[in-house]
Amino acid sequence: QVQLVESGGGLVQVGGSLRLSCVASGDTFSINNMAWYRQAPGKQRELVGLVSADGTKFLPNSVKGRFTISRENDKNTVFLQMVSLKPEDTAVYYCNAVGASGPYWGQGTQVTVST
């Protein structure tokens, strides 16, 4: 089993920045990909960044250029740096890890971008 704990969400004004962190514990040796998803009210959960164990990254066009995903394998931590935030970035952001018995999800952290 893998446990994921997110932090770093909050309220920010348009154009502001936030950095989300997610720390994994438990059977972390089995983790391959780590990712961030978000879900806004009434919408489906969507991928906003993924980083594999070897450092390969993927960011969808909707956030490319504004979001950066990074990972520190020795600390079992994945980060999501978000800049130039827009109201449409408002959502609950979830950390995701894929392991031998995964996928695993964190409890989510709220990001609210105000005008």
Side-chain angles (χ1 to χ4, degrees):
Q1 294 293 317
V2 173
Q3 296 78 43
L4 302 171
V5 178
E6 303 106 331
S7 61
L11 175 64
V12 64
Q13 291 186 333
V14 170
S17 302
L18 282 174
R19 188 190 195 210
L20 305 182
S21 302
C22 172
V23 179
S25 61
D27 296 335
T28 57
F29 64 91
S30 70
I31 294 175
N32 185 1
N33 293 344
M34 296 190 78
W36 286 96
Y37 287 74
R38 67 185 180 188
Q39 187 167 20
K43 295 188 177 181
Q44 290 188 331
R45 191 171 295 190
E46 62 173 346
L47 176 69
V48 293
L50 181 147
V51 55
S52 67
D54 67 2
T56 302
K57 300 176 183 179
F58 169 79
L59 292 162
N61 289 336
S62 59
V63 302
K64 196 173 292 184
R66 299 188 301 120
F67 290 10
T68 304
I69 190 167
S70 60
R71 179 173 177 173
E72 294 185 1
N73 288 330
D74 58 338
K75 297 181 181 178
N76 299 312
T77 302
V78 62
F79 302 96
L80 186 69
Q81 177 69 50
M82 306 182 291
V83 303
S84 301
L85 284 163
K86 306 175 182 181
E88 51 264 42
D89 295 318
T90 295
V92 178
Y93 285 69
Y94 294 92
C95 180
N96 168 271
V98 176
S101 301
Y104 302 96
W105 294 92
Q107 80 286 354
T109 185
Q110 177 71 45
V111 171
T112 303
V113 184
S114 65
T115 55

